[in-house]
Amino acid sequence: MKRWESGWFNTPLRIVIAVGVVVFSVEFLFMTLLHDVIMPLTSFTVSDRTWSIIDAVTLVVLVSPVLYLLVFVRMQRDFAELTQLFANLTDTLMIGVLLVDTDLRVHRWNQWLERKTGISSQQACGKLLTELFVDFNSPRLLSAIELCIKHKSPQLISQTLNRYVLPIPLVSPMHDLKLMQQQVSVAPLTNSRGETLAAISINDVTESVAKSSALARLAMKMESQSNRDQLTGAYNRHFLWSWLTPQLKQSVRHSQALSCLMLDIDFFKRINDTYGHDVGDAVLRGFAEILHEQMRDSDILVRYGGEEFVVLLTHADAAVALEIANRILDRVRKTAIVPLEVGDVRCSIGVSSWTPEEPCSAEELLKGADRRLYHAKHNGRDQVVIDSESPRSPR
Amino acid sequence: MELDELERDALRELANVGLSRAATQLSELLNDHIEMTVPLVQVVPYDQVTQALQLDPLASVAAVWQSFSGQSEGTSILMFPSEDSKKLVHALVGPSMQGAGEDDLRGIEHEAMMEIGNIIITSGMAVIADMLGHEVRMSLPGYMEGNLPDILAQRNRDNAGREMQAIIMFTHLKAAQREIEGRMVMLMSVDSVQVLFERLHKLLKGL
């Protein structure tokens, strides 16, 4: 009978009963006096109507405390039920709810927490958080509790900046996560005695953290596996090899020549250093565009390294490759790549070819072009080199 | 309400103390050295807020707000230019954002800014509550992004028509080798501001 323990005999009830007793005693005395003393001695009489009014007043005075008591008891019972309901409510929630004071002493611990931590409400209540979790180490939660209680300002603790506040081990570790990832809010709760507690609610976001990190890994993998260079739209090295090997086999089968141009923008580092990386990126994009314009549909463009590109020309022997290389050299010289002016960007090109007469492997093809590109650079840049024997430009 | 220089200085000093506390908390949270200062405090009537904030009305602003109730009622809004807040969050939580998509990034930005803003606003409001000498109850924080007129219009719908004053704290935040100019606006009733300045006056007299 918890509801009888405190406060049921409260002030308003006491006043109602006291007033009732006083009014009733006064009336009783007055009645006795009137009926037994005054009326026999004098000729004073009281009409029936007056008697009935007096009776009614007496009845009301007698009945009202009883009615009040009945209503009051009923209210007490409803209130106790409501309190119990609210206490149970926190147990039905799918989030962790605990109440702590400034010392980190636990005042309430809901069922969700019992389930997730294996610590029962009985064990938890009255204990300090630091006693319950030996490796408790969350300065953010400490300061949030302080801010919350001292300044009555609720605090959000996101999983973005804090992965968790209470070290709760996961029953079954998810990916590389061993502790529950949490999204937490701390709100002030003041009781009737004016003491403020911090109501901490904990959301388990482990699954979404695991999901998003899995997605992030997937995205990274997909990016590395994708075929295109993001800046220039050219194919990347990964694609080059997957394309070249079957293409060479086809060349062997059909006895068709295949040529490779290796191109490098002259003094690109100087452009980057002088104008900044934004201009450097614009030059790379502009350069790739010029290459695209000079290529045929069956050719492919690869960004081979920083400012190094490879153009693979199908059905092209050395003569065709040289013609295309010279056309590229000419276009680059005559084009203004915004924001630079005409002539600011130059390039060097090395050319190598696979022919049925002089076959080679894919690696050798690229190496050959690279060697000639080196010669072009060595000979003063801004030129095409196709002759593998002499380090002199053919032009 | 006109402030004399002495009062303005005093309020600015108090704000500086409050926000340096916030900076300590943030430094701890973000594992980075963070400094916060308040170079200027202004008090203006509500209809002059937009002008006084000195922000491009067309530029996008990231705002965290908390409303408060009790003996004083109103709203505190912390604003940073969107670009700056984005860069700040990227600099601070960069590693955990690698490989995240555009939508994830927005979510991460909102969450991080909301928590950072929550700490800053709490510290700023603690100063005001101390000055007012009564308890101020804060709501949970919310996040908004938009241009300045939109944000003010949204946040002040409840108080429309009421006579309001704005205390504007210009904040200077230094983190991850970046400097960010923010604004904290506290919208409250004329009466509350009056009380605030009476207290400030007494405090100054006591010195």
Side-chain angles (χ1 to χ4, degrees), chain A residues 1 3-4 8 13 66-80:
Chain A
M1 293 302 279
R3 60 176 178 271
W4 298 106
W8 73 272
L13 184 61
V66 176
L67 272 179
Y68 185 90
L69 200 65
L70 283 174
V71 171
F72 184 77
V73 166
R74 180 66 201 269
M75 271 170 60
Q76 281 282 316
R77 206 179 54 210
D78 287 353
F79 183 69

Side-chain angles (χ1 to χ4, degrees), chain A residues 351 358 368 371-372 375 385-393:
Chain A
V351 184
E358 283 183 79
R371 207 166 43 240
R372 291 171 180 95
H375 289 162
V385 171
I386 191 166
D387 187 352
S388 66
E389 304 312 321
S390 105
R392 293 241 60 90
S393 165

Side-chain angles (χ1 to χ4, degrees), chain B residues 42-56:
Chain B
Q42 276 187 328
V43 179
V44 297
Y46 181 68
D47 53 11
Q48 288 171 26
V49 170
T50 317
Q51 221 183 339
L53 280 171
Q54 296 171 28
L55 286 171
D56 178 0

Side-chain angles (χ1 to χ4, degrees), chain A residues 139-140 143-144 147 151-162 183 185 188 190 196 212 215-216 219-220, chain B residues 21 25 28-30 66 93 96 98-100 108 111-112 114-116 118-119 122 126 135-141:
Chain A
R140 172 71 182 121
S143 71
L147 287 174
H151 301 305
K152 305 287 183 293
S153 173
Q155 299 287 306
L156 279 188
I157 305 180
S158 67
Q159 83 256 31
T160 311
L161 300 180
N162 322 260
Q183 185 183 42
S185 75
T190 308
T196 301
S212 66
L215 279 175
M220 251 164 18
Chain B
R21 257 183 257 153
Q25 306 251 7
E28 214 168 66
L29 170 66
L30 301 167
Q66 279 182 272
V93 291
S96 68
Q98 237 160 37
I108 290 171
E111 266 204 348
M114 205 137 91
E115 184 169 354
I116 292 170
N118 190 196
I119 293 173
T122 305
E135 207 176 271
V136 173
R137 291 194 154 266
M138 306 290 296
S139 74
L140 272 166

Side-chain angles (χ1 to χ4, degrees), chain A residues 264-267 348 372-381:
Chain A
D264 190 277
I265 301 171
D266 295 338
F267 300 114
S348 305
R372 291 171 180 95
L373 172 63
Y374 174 78
H375 289 162
K377 291 275 177 192
H378 195 73
N379 285 350
R381 299 182 170 85

